[in-house]
Amino acid sequence: MMYEHFDNAVKGIKEKLNNDPEGINARKKYVLELSRLGRKLYSKDETIAWCGVTAPFDLLSAMGVTSCFVEFVGAMLASTQTAGYFFEEAEDSGFATDSCAYHRAVMGAVLKNAMPKPDFIIGTSSPCTAGLAIVENFAHQYKKDFFVLNVPQNYTKDAIKFLAAQVEEMTLFVSDHTQRPLSMEKLGMALENFNRSSQLLKDIYDLAKTKPSPVDNRLLRDFGVVMPLLMGTKAGVDICQAFKDELNHRIATGWHHVSKEKTRLMWIQNRIQHPFPMDEMLDDLGAKIVVDELNNVTWEPMDPDNPFESIAKRMISIPFSMDTSERIRLMQNLAQDYQIDGAINPCHWGCRQGTGARGLISKGMQDINVPVLNLEIDCVDSRNLSKGQIETRVEAFMEMLS
């Protein structure tokens, strides 16, 4: 079923792109590559690793492994409105309804044999212990070997050395399971692609700072958290170039001046995954999400001569791995760089990390005179959605900002 879903998506998007070869279609190209990744995950012809969110996907790609973080599938199930069936399976098996719905969805899919069987599993302590627990559960369900990367929250020489040693050990773990040694030439190419993508991301995010911004409420949604799945590849470079070209095109044609930008917003953490008219609601109110918290380049360029140390530095430097005070400092910098008027924080039901920091985040943003709207909403499970209440609160927040 899932292979057919991704295969149909690939065919449909390719047909649309072929019918408009000169079109500006960055988002379509991005979704096409993600659909190709999904098809590979479900093809039964690949070496598969299910991973935590912050795993080094460029390194795994260089080793011939098709890998993905499990929350990607949870979001996909929510967006296609098929998650409910899997929630019920997980809950009937004892998973609490107040746990993270990303994880409940994929656990239900595992129990229903709707997830491809991995060759091995790589967990990461960042961003959350719940994510680590769910991939450990995967390992038990599939009876597969499980490797854990413990990601420190402090960016120090000792922390980098500690994580770099784990990353190097992980390559031996992967080689043992694939019977293929790490090719330093392929890893060097992957890191070069990662660096090229990173520079293009910086260019994209700089263009998004333009006032009025050439982005809309959909163009870069969930971009920063999902792109690492592709950034060690040539396709990742091409996608980033397509987004940069599209933003330049919008500026050159004056699109951004007619886009009705009255209010500039930041979106904190991840977007709402199930069908919910947030983008349309904000469009109607003249509000534009010009920056997502995770759409940010916080790492140094990769050094091919010191690959494991470079990967460790990158893993520690992203917001998911930081302590809350450092994460808030980055948000404050983004708010000032993008000249935002307010921020929306969907306090995802069951996310101890995100919801637990809501008070500190609101206080930190208040310190620079940026109001925050905290929305109590499950970003994946729509069964308890109070649509009218959310709409009323968003409208009131926009009215306050204006």
Side-chain angles (χ1 to χ4, degrees), residues 280-291:
E280 294 80 1
M281 190 189 320
L282 295 176
D283 287 343
D284 291 342
L285 295 168
K288 188 187 290 183
I289 300 167
V290 297
V291 59

Side-chain angles (χ1 to χ4, degrees), residues 102-123:
Y102 283 99
H103 302 143
R104 267 185 291 127
V106 292
M107 197 65 233
V110 168
L111 294 170
K112 284 290 188 181
N113 296 314
M115 289 280 279
K117 185 177 291 188
D119 294 276
F120 51 87
I121 291 171
I122 296 173

Side-chain angles (χ1 to χ4, degrees), residues 4 11 31 138-139 148 169 194 200 222 279 340 349 395:
E4 287 75 14
K11 291 174 181 175
V31 175
F138 276 27
V148 180
E169 186 181 352
F194 195 99
L200 287 166
D222 291 326
D279 294 337
I340 67 165
W349 189 281
E395 289 170 0

